[in-house]
Amino acid sequence: MGDPLIATDEASARDAIGWAVSEKTPIEIMGGGTKRALGRPIQVARGLSLAGLSGIEDYEPSELVMTAWAGTSLAEIEATLAANGQRLAFEPPDYRALLGGAADGATIGAVFSCNLAGPRRTAAGAARDHLLGIRGVNGRGEIFKAGGRVVKNVTGFDLCKLVAGSFGTLAALTQVTFRVFPIPEAEATVLVIGLLEQDAVAVMIEGAQSPHEVSGAAHLPAGIAALSGVSAVGGAGRAVTALRVEGPAPSVVHRVAALRRCFAPLGEIEVLEAEGSQAFWREVRDVTPFAGDSRLVWRLAVPPAGGAAVVAEVGRRIEAEAILDRGGGCVWLATAQKAEEAAGAVRDAAATVGGSATLIRAPEAVRSHADVFPPLAAGLRDLTARVKRAFDPLGLLNPGRMYAGL
Amino acid sequence: MPRVVIPVRCVKTDMRMPVPDTPTIARRQQIVGALRRIVPDGVIADEAAMRPYECDGLAVYRQIPLVVVLPSTVEQVSAILRYCNANNVKIVPRGAGTSLSGGALPLADAVTIGLGRFNRILEIDWDNRCVVAQPGVTNLAITNAVQHRGFYYAPDPSSQIACSIGGNVAENAGGVHCLKYGLTTNNVLGLQIVLPDGEVVRVGGRHQPEGEGYDLMGLLTGSEGLLGIVTEVTVRILRKPETVRAMLMGFASNEAAGDAVAAIIGAGVVPAGLEMMDRLAIHAAEEFVHAGYPLDVEALLIAELDGPQAEVDYLVERVAAIAARCGAACVRVSASEDERLRFWAGRKAAFPAVGRISPDYLCMDGTIPRRRLAEVLARIRALSEKHGLRVANVFHAGDGNLHPLILFDANRPGELERAEEFGADILRLCVEVGGVLTGEHGVGVEKRDLMPVMFDEVDLEQQQRVKCAFDAGGLLNPGKVFPTLHNCAEMGRLRVSGGQLPFPDLPRF
């Protein structure tokens, strides 16, 4: 690929795509490049970097809304929010260690384009739930906007939802407006030690059904818990099931005590306070236990009660290591590098409970040939192609990133 | 009970709708016959019997449909859409007909498809905390079905005893609790949809979808019946909070109340609901339901705090302290569930209460950035004087969603038109200060012609190209949302200047 075109403002992003339209030249849309290894590889001659289209445009903390140019680094946004006691509630993950490659941080445009969220998704939603408004350039080289700058808005089609998670195949985002939330006064994590997977899922369901507003629920089997840098987890020597609560300090104290009472009969209980809790959930969020090896990594989205069954089903066919996040609704699997065999086992298992599987980490050669995203049902494939053409009639923006030929 | 009552008695006929297609109307008998073959016991073709379908909650606009069909199976919906698609017949989908923006307004040359027979809850999945329901199930029926085990469905539009979950999806309905718990779009997990060509597709499921293609579920939610017909909805249910308490806070000025709203949110408190009423609304509500509201204040805030008891007690104190700092004339905290419901009774009855003091009213629905609240209220007062009509303000202050109620008498010539002009001025003002035309009621026909205030031609064409991806023939709910209907083929055309650089300054890359 030649040197990427570099957009420094919205007009230059439009000019670049306008040039691609006139040349009928496909183009790869890039932010910080931290997620280039996520999705199918793109074979194009030119890239367009939006990393220079940067800066926070509007932020009034009492509005709980921020507007930023797409190339603004996630780090800058999180630091600005933190200085005002706020954060992105959907807990955007950092997959640099998991995926390898880029040293620079992610951009906010890419966070929304890839619709990534962390363990708090169950309680707070995904990136798509927080995106209120966009500006971007479509595949016709036109600047358009959608949504607005207020929390409650039903004016016109919600194109923000379409663009979130479209991996740059519909538009090059130039500006995003999104919800932000106060950082709770306190957080703590209740650990139940030594549970089997199916018992852990039962505990996580009970936590979610309780009135204690659990904002994170994950299960790490013994071998994976041992890798944790948080001593109470790494040193447990057994499987660890974790339930997080956040809120005003007296509320956290009350709920930790309630959860402890509830689950003490099932196993030894430990409690992680403040930094320990934060460090633990960062590891879960970034899938740190699977960083640094070369296995395939899959993310399964399943009905939470089916989490343990899916892991068992995969285990009957291939060797796999599993982390259960989001109360069982998100299963991270590391499998050996026999892609075809693994894909069959993993996708079949997800399908048994009505869920889906995405191949998050694999060598480029594998991602070029295998499906990365869950294959679309027949009726949705044609519709998806028509939606793509509605934004990008010539198929110029990140062609093939999500599906071959699209 | 909370219920939206629109006491408008007048009928307007000048809303610019697509010109009815005479050949379609001419083959009405043939269309009725075809629909009867698909749904033998569910076709209404008699004019008197179609009368209840002539309008929705925006009763100023009325039109008898070409014919009404009431399918009860997905196969029937699919067959109807296939027939209409093949025979170039327009369709207007309808849930419970409570839309406040005319989303279900019939067309003279279109089949109205009523989903009322889809009225069953199909499954309650406790472990996965979701309910699978047919689209005609009412919003409140979902909560009623799960509350015995301590669960509820969060979005609670004020029409919740009547409005359907399918209509909630079509309109992306909100309510008083969306500040903390989100709109419909944040609470839907899965949909079954019949596309305009009759194809039946499923998106989402009982899980939080990840990487499953474009977010068609998010797009369909709030698409106002222009993209497909929802035949099954899976929503997430939440555990009821341990404790709920409400607070009443009176202020001597709208400015002080607006400051208090910003200060509460700015302090990191996210109440389950944060509502504001102005003097006229307070008095109308108090006279109607005797909620015990203070009558010597200009603005009243109602805050609801929910969660574990320890948390609610703590937050009530913090909010009370903030209100005092902002100069609250009175602060009361509910001491019992009865008292909490009484605090809400006035707010929930505010619309019918205003209906008692005026022959007619129009309910507007713009959203503004919270920080502009006091300024916008002052300008609405000025507009009220300019148009010579009274206005009562009731709104979801927590998320900046205004519901100004414009009072008028349709029996006085010209007053309805003046009320509509006043309403349009308010919505333009919302957009001017950085807000939007509609927070939760939808565009429908009501705000359709104001869309260019918020979106330019490119923005609107991008939305309409998405419409074309679903409905190239433009048969589903035409005349709603978009002020100008474009031909899909025309909009799809791309002018490419082939080979030459259209941007001479390209070297800057």
Side-chain angles (χ1 to χ4, degrees), chain A residues 15 19 63 121 128-129 138 140 145 152 154 157 169 185 209 251 304-305 326 356 374 386 390 403, chain B residues 126 128 186 209-210 212-215 239 311 314 367 370-371 396 438 459 462-463 469 493 501 508:
Chain A
D15 291 355
W19 169 80
E63 292 290 331
R121 167 147 197 195
R128 55 89 84 177
D129 293 290
N138 64 17
R140 307 166 63 90
K145 64 179 176 298
K152 219 165 160 188
V154 294
F157 291 155
T169 62
E185 239 175 71
Q209 289 179 338
S251 169
R326 302 182 202 164
S356 70
R386 293 199 298 273
Y403 308 101
Chain B
W126 301 104
N128 291 311
N186 311 110
E210 285 283 5
E212 294 164 28
Y214 297 147
D215 187 354
R239 173 69 190 231
E311 178 167 332
Y314 171 86
T367 307
R370 271 183 295 262
R371 62 187 140 172
H396 308 303
T438 171
D459 305 335
Q462 184 57 66
Q463 295 190 31
R493 230 167 268 150
L501 285 178
R508 71 166 172 258

Side-chain angles (χ1 to χ4, degrees), chain B residues 457-470:
Chain B
E457 193 56 29
V458 176
D459 305 335
L460 289 172
E461 284 197 358
Q462 184 57 66
Q463 295 190 31
Q464 285 178 275
R465 281 192 203 99
V466 170
K467 161 77 168 164
C468 292
F470 281 76

Side-chain angles (χ1 to χ4, degrees), chain A residues 350-362:
Chain A
T352 58
V353 293
S356 70
T358 304
L359 180 55
I360 297 290
R361 183 180 70 193

